[in-house]
């Protein structure tokens, strides 16, 4: 009998998806109307966009996505359910054989709406929670929004809609994470996605909420502890695309994310697609519209935009020559390609250098250095806009004079050669001595100096020994239990009626 094919969740990319540049997951902002006032909102949501797509245009978008064989479509806002035809859109996604999901702030996501969404075909829903009540309500700008979000999670569980929680991590989030985990587990969430707050939109105006790059050194070990704790509670912690990157914990949580088992580089326009409410197409919904808009569904088909727009092909055509700063010379440059484009372009005005990287922070710390960001120019106040931040390199204790790291000018269009083949990121090998990834064919680990093959063999042997010992223990306990059940019992005690 043929081996059963490995089944991955809808949005997770396989080698084949990368090889064919297949848009497997679409995040669709169906309206910019919102009932929250979030300090970190990159799109500055609140009012509906001018010229949002009509219902008929939305249904045509669904048909086009189905023809592209998209597997999952996540509707977002603003707040998706503030659009009157949101259920019609969800129903159409479901009817066309795609997985409809939704991301919500949870405010006023009541029982009637959840029941209706279930009937329309909604198959999963994420709710945003950015800390315990005091911090969450402050960040979300509405008192009581934490309680609304928790109530929404419980209602999703009641109606058997798989739920997840999305948490943005900023400067003040770390102390809240453990208790937040336990609360969302009690509310029935199955998944917990975490990502760093990015200096876009409202967050650029409130730069005090941004985490400093050097704080990654404190964050990552704490997240590793919480990962194991979350599993014990039945919750899978999943890192977003702007957190992690080849530190010693990469293999523990990213392996649940993808077929290959480690970060693959930015997926925008490679396996991911974003749509704005007015029909603008981007490789990722978070990217700045001005720099990454590939076209509009009112002017071109999504297929044409996907295949021919330079703004959507940038991750497919990106090379190491597009990187700069630390990322240009990093050991992982060819696979990571500077991580999340949204994060580093928004922060520094040019993609290709990402200070929010655990491996990078560890490397600099060994040299007695750290990186810090400082805002030097305000954002203009438009959706998906950015200010300007300086990246400073300084002593690890913050003493002495800091060095400003300026981005070089971007490569001219004439220097960029469109790739003739779709990029498949390298599949790396894990060193079992230091738990860092190495390139295929590497014999001696460049990080710990161990022999990778020998360490892998030793690890496999220990795993076999552990499995065999566990099997022997189970057999012994089973035998003891069977023996105990076979022992004759004493006859029942007869009481003398005269006593």
């Amino acid at each position: 009998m043929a081996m059963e094919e490995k089944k991955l969740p809808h949005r997770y990319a396989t080698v084949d998806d990368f090889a064919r540049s297949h848009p497997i997951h679409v995040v669709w902002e169906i309206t910019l109307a919102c009932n929250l006032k979030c300090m970190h909102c990159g799109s500055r949501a609140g009012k509906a966009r001018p010229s949002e797509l009509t219902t008929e245009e939305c249904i045509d978008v669904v048909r086009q996505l189905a023809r592209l064989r998209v597997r999952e479509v996540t509707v977002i806002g603003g707040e998706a359910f503030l659009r009157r035809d949101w259920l019609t859109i969800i129903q159409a996604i479901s009817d066309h054989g795609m997985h409809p999901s939704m991301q919500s702030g949870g405010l006023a996501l009541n029982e009637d709406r959840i029941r209706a969404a279930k009937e329309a075909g909604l198959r999963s829903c994420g709710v945003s929670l950015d800390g315990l009540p005091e911090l969450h309500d402050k960040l979300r700008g509405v008192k009581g929004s934490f309680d609304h979000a928790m109530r929404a999670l419980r209602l999703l569980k009641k109606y058997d809609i798989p739920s997840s929680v999305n948490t943005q991590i900023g400067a003040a989030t770390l102390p809240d994470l453990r208790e937040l985990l336990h609360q969302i587990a009690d509310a029935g969430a199955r998944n917990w996605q975490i990502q760093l707050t990015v200096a876009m939109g409202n967050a650029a105006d409130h730069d005090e909420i941004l985490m400093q790059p050097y704080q990654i050194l404190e964050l990552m070990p704490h997240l590793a502890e919480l990962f194991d704790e979350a599993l014990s509670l039945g919750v899978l912690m999943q890192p977003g695309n702007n957190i992690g990157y080849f530190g010693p914990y990469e293999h523990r949580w990213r392996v649940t994310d993808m077929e290959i088992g480690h970060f693959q580089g930015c997926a925008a326009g490679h396996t991911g697609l974003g749509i704005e409410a007015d029909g603008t197409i981007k490789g990722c919904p978070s990217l700045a519209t001005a720099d990454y808009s590939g076209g509009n569904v009112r002017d071109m088909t999504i297929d044409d935009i996907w295949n021919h727009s330079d703004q959507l092909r940038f991750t497919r055509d990106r090379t190491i020559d597009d990187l700069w700063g630390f990322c240009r010379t990093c050991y992982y440059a060819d696979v990571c390609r500077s991580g999340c484009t949204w994060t580093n372009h928004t922060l520094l005005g040019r993609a290709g250098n990402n200070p929010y990287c655990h491996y990078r922070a560890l490397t600099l710390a060994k040299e007695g250095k750290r990186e810090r960001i400082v805002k030097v120019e305000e954002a203009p106040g438009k959706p998906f806009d950015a200010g300007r931040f300086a990246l400073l390199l300084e002593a690890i204790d913050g003493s002495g004079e800091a060095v400003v790291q300026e981005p070089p000018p971007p490569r001219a269009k004439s220097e960029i050669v469109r790739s003739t083949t779709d990029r498949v990121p390298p599949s790396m090998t894990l060193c079992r001595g230091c738990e860092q990834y190495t390139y295929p064919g590497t014999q001696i680990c460049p990080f710990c100096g161990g022999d990778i093959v020998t360490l892998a063999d030793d690890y496999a042997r220990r795993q076999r020994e552990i499995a065999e010992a566990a099997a022997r223990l189970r057999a012994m306990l089973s035998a003891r239990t069977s023996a105990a059940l076979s022992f004759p019992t004493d006859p029942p005690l007869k009481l003398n009626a005269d006593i």
Side-chain angles (χ1 to χ4, degrees):
M1 186 172 68
M3 183 179 294
E4 185 179 352
E5 184 181 356
K6 181 179 179 182
K7 186 172 178 59
L8 291 168
H10 296 89
R11 67 180 63 176
Y12 296 160
T14 65
V15 170
D16 187 55
D17 293 324
F18 280 109
R20 294 184 294 112
S21 290
H22 177 203
I24 59 172
H25 183 209
V26 173
V27 180
W28 184 2
E29 170 209 282
I30 60 174
T31 182
L32 204 58
C34 192
N35 53 11
L36 291 169
K37 303 172 184 177
C38 302
M39 294 174 67
H40 47 39
C41 181
S43 62
R44 300 186 186 272
K47 296 181 179 180
R49 284 185 187 276
S51 303
E52 292 190 347
L53 296 177
T54 65
T55 302
E56 292 74 19
E57 288 172 323
C58 286
I59 300 304
D60 184 58
V61 166
V62 172
R63 286 193 289 264
Q64 292 188 55
L65 296 179
R67 286 197 294 269
L68 284 168
R69 291 175 294 110
V70 168
R71 296 201 285 265
E72 180 175 354
V73 181
T74 301
V75 294
I76 64 170
E79 184 58 76
F81 62 72
L82 293 182
R83 183 174 169 127
R84 291 183 178 181
D85 58 359
W86 70 291
L87 294 172
T88 302
I89 295 170
I90 289 173
Q91 181 75 61
I93 294 167
S94 180
D95 290 346
H96 281 77
M98 297 176 286
H99 177 109
S101 58
M102 182 171 78
Q103 181 62 35
S104 171
L107 183 64
L109 184 57
N110 56 31
E111 187 160 6
D112 288 343
R113 288 188 169 112
I114 289 174
R115 184 192 303 111
K118 172 81 171 182
E119 292 170 357
L122 187 70
R123 293 173 60 185
S124 58
C125 183
V127 176
S128 297
L129 281 166
D130 296 320
L132 297 176
E134 182 180 357
L135 177 60
H136 176 87
D137 288 1
K138 177 183 177 182
L139 291 171
R140 293 282 162 175
V142 176
K143 189 173 178 61
S145 57
F146 179 90
D147 293 335
H148 275 263
M150 293 298 293
R151 189 178 303 117
L153 285 173
R154 296 188 185 97
L155 286 168
L156 289 165
K157 182 179 181 181
K158 175 181 177 180
Y159 284 91
D160 198 29
I161 300 175
S163 64
S164 61
V165 167
N166 280 26
T167 298
Q168 290 204 31
I169 296 178
T173 317
L174 196 61
D176 284 11
L177 290 177
R178 175 165 276 111
E179 177 58 26
L180 180 62
L181 164 62
H182 285 262
Q183 292 206 30
I184 64 178
D186 290 343
R190 298 183 184 180
N191 299 77
W192 186 23
Q193 179 168 305
I194 52 175
Q195 65 182 45
L196 300 179
T197 297
V198 174
M200 174 176 273
N202 291 346
D205 301 340
H206 300 282
D207 54 300
E208 73 277 3
I209 70 174
L210 301 175
M211 176 171 279
Q212 286 291 344
Y214 61 81
Q215 291 179 292
I216 293 289
L217 295 173
E218 181 183 3
L219 174 66
M220 298 305 291
H222 186 57
L223 292 180
E225 291 178 9
L226 292 182
F227 179 84
D228 294 331
E229 194 168 335
L231 287 179
S232 72
L233 297 170
V235 176
L236 177 62
M237 180 190 288
Q238 297 168 293
N241 288 331
N242 73 350
I243 195 166
Y245 310 142
F246 298 103
Y249 310 118
E250 178 74 10
H251 72 288
R252 299 178 63 184
W253 57 8
R254 199 77 70 176
V255 73
T256 62
D257 235 22
M258 297 180 184
E259 187 180 55
I260 295 175
H262 53 74
F263 185 67
Q264 303 291 295
C266 179
H270 200 167
T271 61
L273 180 69
I275 307 176
E276 292 184 359
D278 63 358
T280 299
I281 301 294
K282 302 185 291 189
C284 166
S286 301
L287 290 169
T289 309
D291 297 302
Y292 291 98
S293 169
N296 192 289
V297 296
R298 287 174 169 143
D299 305 317
M300 301 170 64
T301 66
I302 299 175
D303 182 270
D304 281 343
I305 297 171
W306 176 264
N307 286 306
H308 303 299
S309 169
D310 291 337
Q311 287 83 358
L312 264 75
R313 292 186 53 92
F314 71 93
T315 56
R316 289 175 255 174
D317 298 335
R318 177 180 286 169
T319 69
I320 294 178
D321 290 334
D322 293 299
L323 310 183
W324 59 280
F326 184 99
C327 289
R328 178 65 180 81
T329 59
C330 177
Y331 178 81
Y332 295 106
D334 191 41
V335 60
C336 182
R337 303 289 176 95
S338 79
C340 173
T341 303
W342 170 43
T343 303
N344 55 72
H345 190 155
T346 302
L347 185 71
L348 302 175
R350 182 189 160 181
N353 190 25
N354 192 342
Y356 288 100
C357 165
H358 191 208
Y359 171 74
R360 174 170 173 160
L362 287 168
T363 302
L364 291 175
K366 290 177 183 177
E367 301 171 1
K369 301 174 184 177
R370 72 177 192 183
E371 289 178 311
R372 181 166 55 90
I373 59 168
V374 177
K375 184 166 68 173
V376 294
E377 185 178 312
E378 296 290 345
K382 299 178 180 179
F384 297 105
D385 66 355
R388 190 164 65 88
F389 285 76
L391 178 62
L392 308 180
L393 181 67
E394 60 188 14
I396 198 165
D397 61 359
S399 63
E401 186 176 352
V403 177
V404 179
Q405 304 178 75
E406 292 286 352
R411 289 199 297 161
K413 268 194 172 184
S414 59
E415 298 176 354
I416 300 174
V417 179
R418 176 167 287 192
S419 175
T420 56
T421 59
D422 290 329
R423 173 181 178 264
V424 178
S427 179
M428 307 194 82
T429 302
L430 183 66
C431 172
R432 290 295 178 179
C434 60
E435 298 186 331
Q436 290 277 85
Y437 279 99
T438 63
Y439 282 96
T442 303
Q443 295 182 346
I444 303 300
C445 176
F447 305 108
C448 69
D451 185 296
I452 291 176
V453 174
T454 301
L455 289 168
D457 290 343
D458 289 345
Y459 176 81
R461 175 180 52 78
R462 290 196 302 272
Q463 293 298 105
R464 286 195 302 271
E465 290 173 352
I466 292 171
E468 290 167 0
R472 288 195 298 271
L473 179 59
R474 285 194 296 269
M476 183 175 64
L477 291 174
S478 177
R480 288 184 177 179
T481 302
S482 300
L485 292 174
S486 67
F487 287 161
T489 58
D490 293 330
L493 181 65
K494 294 182 178 179
L495 297 178
N496 190 329
D498 295 334
I499 296 178

